[in-house]
């Protein structure tokens, strides 16, 4: 099999495109670029693309990772160039490589959150034993403890850097953390926030 | 992105439909152009982006270096709420510029039930609703599309209308704008200038007088620039006219998410209820060569997985076998599935559908339109019962077991027998399944009936006919329901109240502008969406304005001045009358290819290359 993967950035202009729609964007880009991507078998064949971690609507990112399979072997530079040309504005392909990734090991993600207001001190919030948030499920509203999924929050350059659980085991979105901060930190009101994914990491916090 | 806008986009559903940036959407620097044109489709993005006309005109306008055309759609309810809360005016998808800042706001009117959306969009844009109230800095608000052929119900809203096909005239309008700008004239000067272009109607240049009974006494130009009749524009040679080599590829799912080629315009059949069949005359075909080239361009520029054919009745395309052979060659190579429109079911089309595997999943559709032979002759449908039975048998033998039948009720000269005929015909189709050589008889057939309420439209032989009231329609629907005695026949019908309102506006006059504005004040919008349609509000709007809906649903005499009489679509009123008389006697008329009936549309081809009616 001709396994490849690529990394890309998602800019501001394209942040409202949902993950599902995004999958289709890639499929069509391969077709436009006339790059022979491999398709699944079956009645409704779909291109063989695997995304490491869906990005929420409204987020930007500089560390998106996707694996794909080609029908025949091609130079990675050629793929990168042709694919970039076939992409809508707002997607920047940073690298195309041969082989598989360690995306199955994905366990954490680092986000940068730009809020209208930033708390002066996070130590109290981070020393809480449990942080309960309300989660809407099919059977009603459920309380969940997210404390263990907040690995760290740091203040940096007027933003918050949040290291959070990510992936299939547990996936915590930074907007949920912001809601919790608004609830738990006395007198804090974040205002509108912008979310950006900076890194995806494995369980030992090594970047993927 | 504007901060306020960014904030609200986070809170609404499917925000990507408001932010542009799709592949093949046009990026220009607004500073570099002389004309900014906002092209509006007065419904949601999903509906509007599925429409072919907008793609064609967007492409043609943006080919001009001096013009930047951007798109705008009706925001969904959640978005509108947020926009109003944050005081964000209606903006375009491409650059998020307030529509009010544009030179033109062009609206395509595809169905009457979008009129309330037009007003709502103007209101959201901060543009005065009435043409008369607009100032020198407001955009020229104009309309085109099939509903523009009777422009009177929105004549006080729009500054001008385009009658007919826009490909050529849009350029003339832009050229005139550039010249007018240079001349430093007033708003009215531009309108008077374009009133002289063929196909352009400027309502404020006409005065309408009424008789005591509310009918029209006269409609007269009030300045020398205004023409007495407005003749529709057509493009004569479809092989020569610009067709987009690129379609915008939306991010989100839209109604028809595929590449489309336009096979021909017009229709050779003269169904007497069908407005499209009259206003788009005469038939003009594209050659297979051009079509395959269009298809190739689109597949390569969009990456679409699906390709569709567009026309009023693709089975009537003279070179269909040649076209489909060539297209299949292309689509198979490019891994594109060919989606076939509802072709007339015969050996050729069934064979074709077997080749295009995808279709098998869905059912087949037949449109006998009326239940009895008499009624089919009245409407000039030219389909015999045995044709339908033969086609159905072919389909069942070919392995299909689901068919859908389209009918109409409330047609002129209709009686109980005709409605009962709908049920009878459906029963016969079910029987036909059991008589076919379907090997697997264990599978039950499914015959679904879709029954629409007839709406009399301008520029059809039935333009004088009475429209059934809501009560009459409900009664007929119930009657039909009781006639259906077979569990394999599934019956669904359309809301009759929407049809009545549609009919009122279709044949409306200038007095209805008041009603529209009142309905807008009462919150009417998105009327095409069941969950948003408010019949009570509409009724109140009519009564607040002292206007009776029945005035518009009544039958008309031949000598009455109809609001749309000043528009010349090529087909003559004489022909329509004659067709209506034949309808009364259930006499049919041949289609254009069998024998020309001298409808008048040939005059549009005068001295125009490539435009031929059938001799
Ligand atoms: S002039 Fe004759 S051929 Fe041409 S559209 Fe009319 S009826 Fe058909």
């Amino acid at each position: 099999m001709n396994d490849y993967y690529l990394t890309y950035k998602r800019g501001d202009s394209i942040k409202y495109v949902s993950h599902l729609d995004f999958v289709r964007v890639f499929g069509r880009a391969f077709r436009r670029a006339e790059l022979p991507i491999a398709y699944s078998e079956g009645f409704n064949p779909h291109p063989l693309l695997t995304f490491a971690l869906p990005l929420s609507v409204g987020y930007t990112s500089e560390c998106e990772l996707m694996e794909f399979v080609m029908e025949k072997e091609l130079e990675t530079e050629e793929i990168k160039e042709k694919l970039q040309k076939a992409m809508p504005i707002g997607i920047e392909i940073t690298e195309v490589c041969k082989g598989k990734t360690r995306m199955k090991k994905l366990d954490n993600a680092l986000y940068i959150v730009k809020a209208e207001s930033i708390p002066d001190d996070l130590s109290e919030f981070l020393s809480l034993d449990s942080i309960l948030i309300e989660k809407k499920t099919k059977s009603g509203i459920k309380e969940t403890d997210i404390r263990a999924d907040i690995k760290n929050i740091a203040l940096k350059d007027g933003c918050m850097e949040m290291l959070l659980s990510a992936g299939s085991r547990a996936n915590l979105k930074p907007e949920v953390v912001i809601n919790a901060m608004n609830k738990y930190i006395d007198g804090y009101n974040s205002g509108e926030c912008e979310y950006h994914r900076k890194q995806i990491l494995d369980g030992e916090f090594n970047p993927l | 992105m504007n901060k306020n806008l960014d904030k609200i986009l986070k809170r609404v559903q499917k925000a990507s439909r408001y932010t542009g940036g799709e592949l093949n959407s046009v990026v220009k620097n607004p500073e570099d152009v002389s004309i900014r044109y906002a092209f509006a489709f007065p419904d949601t993005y999903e509906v509007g982006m599925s429409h072919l006309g907008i793609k064609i005109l967007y492409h043609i306008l943006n080919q001009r270096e001096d013009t930047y055309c951007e798109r705008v759609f009706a925001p969904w309810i959640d978005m509108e709420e947020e926009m109003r809360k944050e005081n964000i005016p209606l903006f375009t998808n491409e650059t998020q510029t307030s529509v009010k800042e544009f030179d033109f706001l062009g609206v395509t009117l595809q169905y009457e039930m979008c009129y309330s959306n037009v007003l709502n969009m103007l209101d959201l844009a901060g543009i005065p609703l009435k043409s008369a109230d607009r100032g020198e800095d407001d955009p020229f608000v104009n309309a085109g599309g099939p509903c523009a052929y009777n422009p009177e119900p929105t004549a006080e809203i729009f500054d001008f209308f385009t009658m007919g096909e826009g490909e050529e005239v849009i350029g003339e309008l832009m050229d005139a704008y550039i010249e007018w700008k240079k001349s430093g004239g007033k708003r009215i000067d531009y309108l008077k200038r374009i009133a002289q272009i063929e196909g352009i109607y400027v309502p404020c240049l006409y005065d309408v007088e009424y008789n005591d009974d509310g009918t029209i006494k006269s409609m007269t130009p009030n300045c020398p620039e205004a023409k007495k009749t407005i003749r529709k524009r057509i493009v004569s040679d479809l092989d020569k006219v610009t067709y987009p080599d690129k379609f915008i590829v939306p991010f989100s799912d839209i109604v028809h998410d595929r590449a489309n080629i336009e096979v021909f315009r017009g229709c050779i059949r003269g169904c007497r209820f069908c407005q499209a069949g009259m206003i788009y005359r005469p038939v003009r075909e594209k050659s297979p060569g051009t079509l395959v080239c269009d298809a190739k361009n689109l597949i390569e520029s969009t990456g679409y997985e699906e390709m569709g054919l567009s026309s009023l009745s693709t089975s009537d395309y003279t070179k269909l076998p040649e076209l489909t052979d060539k297209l299949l060659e292309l689509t198979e190579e490019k891994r594109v599935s060919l989606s076939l429109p509802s072709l007339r079911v015969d050996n050729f089309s069934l064979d074709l559908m077997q080749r295009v595997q995808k279709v098998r999943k869905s059912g087949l559709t037949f449109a006998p339109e009326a239940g009895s032979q008499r009624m089919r002759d009245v409407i000039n449908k030219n389909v015999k019962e045995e044709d339908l039975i033969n086609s159905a048998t072919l389909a069942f033998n070919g392995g299909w077991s689901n068919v859908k039948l389209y009918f109409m009720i409330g047609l002129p000269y209709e009686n109980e027998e005709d409605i009962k005929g709908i049920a009878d015909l459906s029963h016969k189709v079910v029987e036909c399944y059991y008589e076919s050589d379907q090997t697997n008889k264990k599978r039950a057939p499914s015959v679904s009936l879709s029954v629409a309420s007839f709406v009399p439209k301008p520029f059809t032989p039935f333009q004088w006919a009475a429209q059934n009231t809501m009560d009459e329609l409900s009664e007929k629907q119930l009657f039909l329901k009781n006639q259906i005695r077979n569990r394999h026949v599934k019956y669904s019908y359309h809301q009759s109240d929407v049809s009545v309102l549609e009919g009122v506006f279709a044949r409306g006059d200038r007095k209805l502008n008041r009603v529209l504005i009142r309905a807008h004040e009462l919150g009417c919008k998105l009327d095409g969406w069941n969950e948003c349609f408010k019949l009570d509000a509409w009724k109140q709007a009519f009564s607040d304005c002292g206007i009776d809906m029945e005035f518009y649903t009544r039958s008309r005499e031949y000598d009455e001045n109809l609001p749309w009489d000043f528009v010349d679509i090529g087909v003559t009123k004489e022909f329509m009358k004659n067709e209506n008389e034949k309808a009364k006697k259930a006499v049919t008329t041949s289609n254009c290819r069998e024998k020309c009936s001298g409808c008048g549309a040939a005059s549009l081809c005068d001295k125009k290359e490539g435009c031929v009616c059938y001799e």
Side-chain angles (χ1 to χ4, degrees):
Chain A
M1 285 293 237
N2 301 300
D3 292 321
Y4 291 85
Y5 64 90
L6 58 78
T7 51
Y8 63 96
K9 295 181 181 176
R10 252 179 99 162
D12 204 44
S13 68
I14 204 162
K15 67 181 175 190
Y16 289 110
V17 177
S18 74
H19 177 67
L20 265 177
D21 292 341
F22 214 74
V23 176
R24 206 167 33 191
V25 167
F26 261 97
R28 285 178 179 160
F30 274 100
R31 298 168 62 88
R32 270 192 306 274
E34 307 212 354
L35 290 168
I37 184 137
Y39 280 78
S40 64
E41 305 282 319
F43 196 69
N44 250 329
H46 52 88
L48 294 175
L49 309 171
T50 318
F51 290 80
L53 186 63
L55 190 66
S56 301
V57 174
Y59 288 34
T60 53
S61 169
E62 59 188 279
C63 60
E64 296 304 288
L65 179 63
M66 183 196 84
E67 293 184 346
F68 59 101
V69 184
M70 297 288 277
E71 268 180 353
K72 63 171 197 244
E73 211 178 309
L74 281 170
E75 286 298 319
T76 52
E77 264 317 295
E78 185 189 347
I79 298 177
K80 185 180 166 196
E81 201 176 298
K82 283 189 173 165
L83 204 56
Q84 183 62 59
K85 260 205 206 136
M87 281 292 176
I89 295 168
I91 303 173
E92 187 193 331
I93 297 172
T94 39
E95 202 176 19
V96 177
C97 303
K98 260 200 95 51
K100 286 264 188 199
T101 68
R102 298 190 301 130
M103 66 165 70
K104 287 207 182 69
K105 295 256 162 18
L106 187 145
D107 210 36
N108 295 294
L110 183 68
Y111 295 92
I112 298 181
V113 182
K114 212 191 257 172
E116 276 172 7
S117 131
I118 286 188
D120 308 322
D121 182 21
L122 283 167
S123 51
E124 201 175 324
F125 180 70
L126 289 174
S127 64
L128 292 167
D129 286 335
S130 84
I131 298 174
L132 296 175
I133 54 130
E134 288 182 344
K135 222 178 174 176
K136 264 190 219 135
T137 64
K138 275 185 202 119
S139 50
I141 291 171
K142 216 179 84 184
E143 283 225 309
T144 330
D145 190 349
I146 58 166
R147 180 60 193 95
D149 295 319
I150 302 176
K151 306 290 169 69
N152 190 30
I153 305 176
L155 301 176
K156 206 175 161 192
D157 306 330
C159 295
M160 285 177 267
E161 275 198 3
M162 299 188 181
L163 185 59
L164 311 173
S165 290
S168 49
R169 191 184 50 80
N171 196 39
L172 182 60
K173 292 181 186 177
E175 62 202 68
V176 177
V177 180
I178 288 288
N179 287 343
M181 288 168 65
N182 282 325
K183 179 175 146 192
Y184 278 87
I185 304 177
D186 241 2
Y188 177 61
N189 181 1
S190 65
E192 294 294 323
C193 298
E194 279 167 40
Y195 302 96
H196 177 79
R197 187 145 75 200
K198 197 176 163 61
Q199 240 175 9
I200 46 177
L201 316 101
D202 66 13
E204 275 78 54
F205 305 108
N206 299 311
L208 286 169
Chain B
M1 206 174 286
N2 169 314
K3 252 204 134 125
N4 253 354
L5 178 58
D6 206 20
K7 186 161 92 185
I8 68 169
L9 285 168
K10 292 208 169 79
R11 300 191 202 126
V12 299
Q13 283 173 20
K14 302 192 215 161
S16 73
R17 59 181 156 176
Y18 306 112
T19 55
E22 309 96 319
L23 188 94
N24 296 334
S25 60
V26 175
V27 182
K28 290 189 186 184
N29 183 352
E31 308 277 303
D32 297 343
V33 298
S34 324
I35 305 175
R36 296 192 72 181
Y37 195 109
F39 197 114
F41 193 101
D43 209 313
T44 61
Y45 177 89
E46 289 74 14
V47 177
M49 281 306 291
S50 304
H51 180 250
L52 184 56
I54 182 172
K55 296 181 183 163
I56 295 178
L57 291 177
Y58 180 82
H59 179 80
I60 288 183
L61 280 168
N62 278 319
Q63 272 186 328
R64 293 177 66 107
E65 261 178 40
D66 60 3
T67 307
Y68 188 9
C69 174
E70 304 180 36
R71 295 158 297 150
V72 57
F73 303 91
W76 190 246
I77 309 165
D78 61 343
M79 182 64 174
E80 182 187 335
E81 227 170 77
E82 296 286 349
M83 286 166 70
R84 290 194 187 275
K85 227 173 18 203
E86 298 291 332
N87 278 319
I88 295 178
L90 188 73
F91 58 89
T92 54
N93 280 37
E94 275 74 3
T95 59
Q96 287 91 44
T97 307
S98 161
V99 166
K100 197 177 156 65
E101 287 170 35
F102 280 68
D103 301 304
F104 289 92
L105 173 60
V107 184
T108 176
L109 301 175
Q110 294 295 316
Y111 27 84
E112 290 80 6
M113 299 319 290
C114 73
Y115 291 170
S116 59
N117 291 344
V118 174
L119 295 194
N120 200 37
M121 287 171 80
L122 286 171
D123 182 39
L124 270 168
I127 298 172
L129 300 185
K130 292 175 82 169
S131 169
D133 298 336
R134 277 173 214 137
E136 295 296 326
D137 290 336
D138 283 311
F140 287 107
V141 182
N142 66 95
C147 291
Y149 283 100
N150 176 18
E152 292 306 272
T154 52
E156 291 170 11
I157 312 295
F158 291 105
D159 300 322
F160 67 90
F161 291 84
T162 301
M163 308 288 171
E165 294 163 10
E167 282 108 329
E168 291 170 355
V169 71
I170 193 97
E172 295 163 30
L173 287 168
M174 297 306 105
D175 292 343
Y177 182 83
I178 301 271
E179 278 169 34
W180 166 75
K181 266 262 136 135
K182 268 193 221 136
S183 75
K186 292 260 180 245
R187 195 174 172 86
I188 185 69
D189 299 324
Y190 177 68
L191 293 173
K192 286 187 173 170
R193 185 185 284 253
I194 59 169
Q196 298 162 63
I197 298 177
E198 180 149 274
I200 301 301
Y201 169 53
V202 181
C204 69
L205 304 184
Y206 298 79
D207 296 323
V208 183
E209 278 184 77
Y210 298 95
N211 297 311
D212 292 340
D213 62 1
T215 57
I216 293 169
K217 188 169 171 207
S218 66
M219 175 168 178
T220 29
N222 59 27
C223 74
E225 288 86 354
K227 291 200 269 296
K228 248 194 109 52
T229 52
I230 311 289
R231 196 163 162 81
K232 90 167 177 206
R233 295 288 294 260
I234 63 163
V235 171
S236 47
D237 190 343
L238 288 192
D239 278 328
K240 294 211 181 107
V241 73
T242 313
Y243 192 75
D245 52 1
K246 291 185 180 117
F247 276 6
I248 291 175
V249 185
F251 292 119
S252 54
D253 238 338
I254 60 168
V255 181
H256 299 299
D257 202 11
R258 58 179 174 234
N260 242 310
I261 51 174
E262 193 183 15
V263 182
F264 64 91
R265 282 188 194 163
C267 179
I268 58 164
R269 316 204 161 249
C271 295
R272 293 179 180 132
F273 58 84
C274 178
Q275 188 190 38
M278 296 294 161
I279 58 178
Y280 298 128
R281 281 187 180 212
V283 166
R284 287 145 295 148
E285 296 193 339
K286 263 194 194 187
S287 67
T290 310
L291 287 166
V292 172
C293 178
D294 290 348
K296 194 163 177 288
N297 287 339
L298 286 177
I299 291 172
E300 285 170 1
S301 68
T302 61
Y304 265 131
E305 312 70 11
E306 194 179 330
M307 168 100 227
L309 308 181
S310 127
S311 80
L312 287 171
S313 142
T314 304
S315 291
D316 289 329
Y317 181 56
T318 48
K319 301 183 185 85
L320 191 59
E322 182 188 339
L323 175 66
T324 48
D325 276 347
K326 285 191 175 151
L327 277 181
L328 279 169
E329 216 174 280
L330 176 73
T331 53
E332 270 154 26
E333 179 205 320
K334 303 263 185 196
R335 282 177 179 269
V336 171
S337 69
L338 190 61
S339 117
L340 294 169
S342 37
L343 294 173
R344 209 167 29 252
V345 176
D346 54 24
N347 279 320
F348 169 75
S349 62
L350 287 177
D351 188 51
L352 189 61
M353 282 179 237
Q354 311 275 24
R355 286 172 70 191
V356 187
Q357 310 112 1
K358 237 189 137 178
V359 184
R360 191 164 255 268
K361 289 185 294 181
S362 59
L364 286 178
T365 54
F366 299 87
E369 308 290 2
S372 68
Q373 191 55 50
R374 191 194 72 88
M375 201 63 212
R376 283 193 296 276
D377 291 344
V378 167
I379 62 176
N380 201 38
K381 183 66 200 182
N382 285 326
V383 173
K384 296 261 177 299
E385 182 172 314
E386 58 184 81
D387 299 333
L388 177 68
I389 297 300
N390 286 344
S391 303
T393 307
L394 271 179
F396 292 145
N397 286 348
W400 272 269
S401 57
N402 287 352
V403 297
K404 193 167 190 176
L405 305 179
Y406 284 102
F407 290 102
M408 264 185 292
I409 54 166
L411 286 160
Y413 322 119
E414 179 180 64
N415 56 42
E416 259 187 16
E417 277 305 298
D418 301 315
I419 299 174
K420 188 168 168 292
I422 296 177
D424 294 344
L425 198 55
S426 327
H427 295 155
K428 281 180 195 157
V429 172
V430 174
E431 269 164 45
C432 165
Y433 175 81
Y434 287 105
E435 279 155 24
S436 70
D437 22 295
Q438 267 269 26
T439 39
N440 180 14
K441 287 280 170 54
K442 274 179 213 140
R443 186 159 44 152
S446 149
V447 175
S448 29
L449 289 192
S450 171
V451 181
S453 305
F454 166 68
V455 177
K457 293 275 167 106
F459 300 108
T460 66
F462 293 160
Q463 63 181 355
W464 295 277
Q467 183 177 12
N468 281 174
T469 62
M470 298 183 196
D471 290 342
E472 283 167 331
L473 288 169
S474 313
E475 211 172 288
K476 287 181 177 179
Q477 282 164 342
L478 195 67
F479 172 78
L480 174 56
K481 195 167 173 232
N482 290 330
Q483 297 294 316
I484 295 167
R485 304 216 165 77
N486 189 307
R487 63 198 169 87
H488 301 306
V489 178
K490 284 173 202 74
Y491 170 46
S492 68
Y493 50 85
H494 298 256
Q495 246 181 314
S496 59
D497 36 13
V498 182
S499 317
V500 172
L501 204 57
E502 186 188 326
V504 167
F505 280 99
R507 292 193 294 173
D509 55 18
R510 280 197 187 189
K511 287 175 277 180
L512 290 184
N513 285 272
R514 283 208 317 266
V515 181
L516 265 178
I517 289 173
R518 183 68 192 132
H520 165 70
E521 288 163 0
L522 293 169
C524 292
K525 63 187 164 207
L526 297 165
D527 294 303
W529 300 79
N530 269 337
E531 64 265 48
C532 303
F533 179 64
K534 297 184 199 152
L535 180 64
D536 290 340
W538 275 106
K539 280 187 175 160
Q540 194 190 326
F542 275 91
S543 83
D544 288 356
C545 297
I547 288 178
D548 203 354
M549 281 203 220
E550 266 128 60
F551 176 76
Y552 297 95
T553 52
R554 80 201 147 88
S555 73
R556 279 85 162 157
E557 297 297 329
Y558 286 145
D559 61 7
E560 179 175 337
N561 290 322
L562 303 173
W564 53 91
D565 275 349
F566 70 102
V567 180
D568 174 9
I569 63 157
V571 181
T572 61
K573 204 169 176 181
E574 220 32 61
F575 175 78
M576 306 285 189
K577 276 185 202 167
N578 197 20
E579 281 296 292
N580 189 34
E581 288 306 313
K582 284 168 96 175
K584 287 181 189 165
K585 290 180 244 145
V587 175
T588 60
T589 297
S590 338
N591 74 45
C592 294
R593 222 164 267 155
E594 289 160 356
K595 181 174 164 286
C596 168
S597 322
C599 76
S603 70
L604 294 162
C605 305
D606 277 355
K607 293 187 223 93
K608 280 191 178 167
E609 218 184 304
C611 180
V612 273
C613 276
Y614 300 87
E615 287 87 44

